[in-house]
């Protein structure tokens, strides 16, 4: 297996993923993983989560379930749990608090505010470039996040590689290299199919052209399934091959990466 760990796995608790926790674990074992990390979307105090995340109180049940499964499957696979988290400036202290409760956090910057509707994902505009850059960079400098997830997913709603966009990515990737934040090549994006960007038919993410900028900045990479259903883990190797076939650039990924 090219990479025998995956730290990007959701659960039904976020209300847009399906399958039981144990089904993900069984799929991971069947696929040959040695390590499976659950990283459901982070909850926020006094926020019910909507279709995006669990409520704050639900995290306790998540922890209890994960601890039980860690123990139950310890002879077959190493299980870790944490959250995929945005970095919102007003929650700066909160991230340090919740980090103490879990094994790890990974950064997925879906919006600039908690009240937004994952705008960076669905409606990323020129006026958002600065926010995306600033928030990703501030987050990486907290030292809380070892992985920057799907940096390129903003391309889902972009149809041109304009100079400001490329500069934004360069600024983010330079800081990623400086802070030793690993860049995720997100395999979930393959399911969204291709679209035209600057006249070229390509996956929005994982996007070889943008990830090449990260490579040139000296960043290191891992693959992430971003699984929202258990069988996604069974396609992991095949998804990696699809990505590699698509891209002339060779991305060297870390074979032995420990998140905590
Ligand atoms: Zn995400
Ligand atoms: Zn995710």
């Amino acid at each position: 297996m090219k990479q025998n760990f995956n730290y990007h796995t959701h659960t039904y608790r976020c209300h847009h993923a399906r399958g039981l926790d144990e089904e993900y674990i069984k799929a991971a074992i069947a696929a040959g993983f040695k390590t499976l990390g659950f990283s459901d979307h982070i909850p926020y105090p006094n926020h019910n989560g909507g279709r995006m995340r669990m409520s704050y109180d639900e995290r306790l049940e998540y922890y209890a379930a994960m601890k039980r499964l860690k123990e139950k499957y310890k002879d077959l696979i190493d299980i870790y749990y944490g959250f995929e988290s945005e970095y919102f400036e007003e929650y700066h202290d909160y991230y340090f608090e919740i980090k103490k409760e879990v094994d790890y956090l990974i950064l997925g910057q879906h919006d600039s505010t908690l009240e937004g509707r994952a705008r960076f994902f669905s409606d990323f505009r020129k006026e958002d470039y600065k926010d995306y850059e600033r928030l990703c960079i501030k987050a990486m400098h907290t030292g809380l996040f070892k992985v920057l997830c799907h940096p390129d997913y903003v391309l889902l709603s972009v149809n041109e590689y304009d100079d400001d966009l490329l500069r934004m990515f360069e600024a983010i990737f330079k800081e990623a290299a400086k802070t030793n934040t690993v860049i995720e090549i997100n395999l979930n994006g393959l399911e969204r199919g291709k679209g035209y960007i600057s006249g070229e038919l390509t996956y929005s993410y994982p996007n070889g052209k943008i990830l090449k900028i990260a490579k040139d900045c000296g960043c290191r990479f891992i693959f992430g399934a971003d699984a929202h259903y258990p069988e996604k883990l069974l396609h992991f190797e095949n998804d990696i091959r699809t990505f590699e076939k698509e891209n002339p650039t060779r991305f060297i990924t870390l074979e032995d990466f420990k998140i905590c």
Side-chain angles (χ1 to χ4, degrees):
M1 205 180 183
K2 191 175 165 73
Q3 182 185 301
N4 62 14
F5 57 85
N6 172 55
Y7 291 112
H8 197 159
T9 314
H10 292 279
T11 83
Y12 62 87
R13 295 171 188 81
C14 69
H15 306 290
H16 61 271
R18 65 163 171 83
L20 301 173
D21 303 335
E22 243 171 309
E23 291 173 332
Y24 286 90
I25 295 170
K26 285 177 183 159
I29 293 167
F33 286 100
K34 295 268 175 290
T35 305
L36 180 67
F38 284 92
S39 53
D40 214 352
H41 293 283
I42 193 169
Y44 289 89
N46 307 315
H47 189 271
N48 76 8
R51 302 288 303 164
M52 180 66 187
R53 59 187 84 249
M54 65 183 81
S55 70
Y56 187 59
D57 291 344
E58 278 172 313
R59 82 195 192 291
L60 299 176
E61 181 279 326
Y62 174 54
Y63 300 165
M66 290 296 141
K67 277 184 192 139
R68 190 176 61 76
L69 294 169
K70 234 184 219 240
E71 183 59 27
K72 179 170 175 184
Y73 286 93
K74 68 173 186 228
D75 294 333
L76 296 170
I77 191 166
D78 291 327
I79 294 179
Y80 297 99
Y81 65 95
F83 293 112
E84 177 183 12
S85 174
E86 299 80 11
Y87 177 78
F88 301 134
E89 283 149 322
E90 60 276 32
Y91 284 94
H92 177 89
D93 295 339
Y94 170 64
Y95 300 121
F96 284 87
E97 285 308 310
I98 200 162
K99 170 78 179 5
K100 293 180 199 155
E101 300 180 357
V102 296
D103 295 322
Y104 69 94
L105 300 178
I106 53 179
L107 179 66
Q109 192 64 41
H110 304 108
D111 210 322
S112 58
T113 65
L114 178 56
E115 285 65 40
R117 293 176 48 81
R119 186 169 46 97
F120 289 165
F121 187 74
S122 57
D123 187 19
F124 190 65
R125 301 176 185 197
K126 249 183 177 319
E127 56 265 36
D128 297 319
Y129 295 1
K130 280 283 158 228
D131 278 349
Y132 190 64
E133 177 183 325
R134 186 185 79 258
L135 293 169
C136 287
I137 290 174
K138 278 195 168 180
M140 292 190 287
H141 278 276
T142 63
L144 290 169
F145 309 98
K146 279 204 184 162
V147 180
L148 170 57
C149 301
H150 53 56
D152 45 355
Y153 86 138
V154 297
L155 293 169
L156 266 182
S157 50
V158 162
N159 49 28
E160 199 197 346
Y161 300 112
D162 66 66
D163 288 347
D164 291 337
L165 184 80
L166 299 178
R167 259 196 298 274
M168 174 198 84
F169 278 116
E170 196 183 345
I172 292 171
F173 293 140
K174 274 186 179 158
E175 294 306 308
K178 223 188 271 175
T179 56
N180 217 2
T181 310
V182 172
I183 303 300
E184 179 199 51
I185 301 174
N186 186 292
L187 301 170
N188 192 26
L190 298 173
E191 295 186 16
R192 295 175 186 271
K194 295 182 180 179
Y196 283 94
I197 307 180
S198 292
E200 184 193 323
L201 188 62
T202 177
Y203 288 106
S204 303
Y205 76 100
N207 182 292
K209 184 177 163 79
I210 298 304
L211 293 170
K212 168 84 163 52
I213 300 174
K215 182 180 178 177
D216 293 342
C217 288
C219 292
R220 302 175 311 148
F221 299 91
I222 57 169
F223 289 102
D226 198 357
H228 284 75
Y229 56 94
E231 307 86 76
K232 178 73 179 169
L233 298 169
L234 298 172
H235 312 157
F236 195 73
E237 284 286 288
N238 201 38
D239 286 348
I240 292 176
R241 271 196 295 276
T242 301
F243 171 76
E244 289 185 337
K245 238 187 271 164
E246 191 75 16
N247 290 290
T249 309
R250 290 272 298 135
F251 293 95
I252 310 295
T253 52
L254 297 170
E255 281 175 25
D256 189 23
F257 172 71
K258 297 267 180 287
I259 206 144
C260 55

